[in-house]
Amino acid sequence: MSSEQLLQQIRVNGTVPRHVAIIMDGNGRWARQRNRPREFGHRAGMASVRAVVEAASDAGVEVLTLYAFSSENWHRPHTEVTALMALLELYVRKERRDLKEKGVEVRAVGDLHRLGPRTRAALQSIVDHTRGCERLKLNLAISYGARDEIVNAARRLAERVREGTLMPGEIDEELFQKQLLFAGDPDPDLLIRTSGELRLSNFMLWQLAYTEMYVSELLWPDFGREHLFSAILDFQRRERRFGRVLAG
Ligand code: FPP
């Protein structure tokens, strides 16, 4: 089936995942298969980002979260980190106008203080430029780690208890969730991971509690529009129970 036929089928089925999160994996292996440096794979991965953002928007997804750089990725060789940061800056320069025209609001989520001033300024510029766009919210998780996110939330609540403005008994899931970086977004309905790995890699540990998972064997630079549509179709065939038994 062509990608447009897949999209047609998605529309016929009806329920589209509101929030899709993606662990983009396999850029390094894709480059190695071609005897090229890892950076070459990341650059090819940027084209997949473009294709998938457009496809998500066409399918009617409301929020797309991409794991672009984990807090653990800081431990990669300096040259690779520098190349990834340069790619993010390039992405902003190349896509800023187009994203705004297509109604995509970009948000950068993570410990952005660790980024260099140039990368931070580039991200800030795309966030400012696209603020208020309503067709698709695109979260770029950068320098992001879920355990760190959860610890920071706990710390903020502990501060309020110490100040005397909050009682420990008032802390519930809803209040806790409000301290997290993705507060305001619905939890992901669908998590996609490429390159066949079966790990969460410290990604959205709180928010993924009831998320449907879809693992693609493709390496990220080979993942495109039709593959996102296939993942959504697979999601549409599933019965979501949220830990309950469905009546009937
Ligand atoms: C994982 O592949 C991928 C990353 C760590 C970076 C993802 C970055 C991009 C797709 C490019 C730029 C992003 C944006 C948002 C413009 P890996 O290096 O872990 O691959 P491997 O497991 O095969 O080594």
Side-chain angles (χ1 to χ4, degrees), residues 24-29 38 42 68 73 76 84 91 140 220:
M24 309 181 287
D25 196 13
N27 295 348
R29 276 162 283 172
R38 298 176 55 79
H42 295 316
N73 286 157
R76 291 194 175 192
L84 276 166
Y91 178 76
L140 299 177
W220 178 250

Side-chain angles (χ1 to χ4, degrees), residues 166-177:
L166 181 71
M167 298 288 284
E170 291 176 287
I171 300 175
D172 57 11
E173 289 187 15
E174 195 188 335
L175 183 66
F176 197 89
Q177 190 275 132

Side-chain angles (χ1 to χ4, degrees), residues 23-30 32 38 41-49 66-70 73 76 80 84 87-88 91-92 140 142 193 195 197 199 219-220:
I23 302 177
M24 309 181 287
D25 196 13
N27 295 348
R29 276 162 283 172
W30 189 90
R32 198 169 56 230
R38 298 176 55 79
H42 295 316
R43 188 175 259 273
M46 200 168 84
S48 294
V49 169
L66 301 179
Y67 203 6
F69 192 88
S70 74
N73 286 157
R76 291 194 175 192
E80 184 173 349
L84 276 166
L87 262 187
L88 280 171
Y91 178 76
V92 168
L140 299 177
I142 295 167
R193 181 165 188 152
S195 89
E197 304 288 350
R199 276 191 302 279
L219 304 175
W220 178 250

Side-chain angles (χ1 to χ4, degrees), residues 67-107:
Y67 203 6
F69 192 88
S70 74
S71 40
E72 288 73 25
N73 286 157
W74 288 114
H75 301 297
R76 291 194 175 192
H78 181 68
T79 47
E80 184 173 349
V81 171
T82 310
L84 276 166
M85 293 300 144
L87 262 187
L88 280 171
E89 292 163 29
L90 179 67
Y91 178 76
V92 168
R93 272 203 308 279
K94 275 175 68 173
E95 303 290 330
R96 213 172 65 143
R97 239 189 37 214
D98 216 34
L99 287 168
K100 185 180 171 123
E101 272 168 21
K102 294 200 168 115
V104 181
E105 180 180 78
V106 181
R107 298 177 293 196

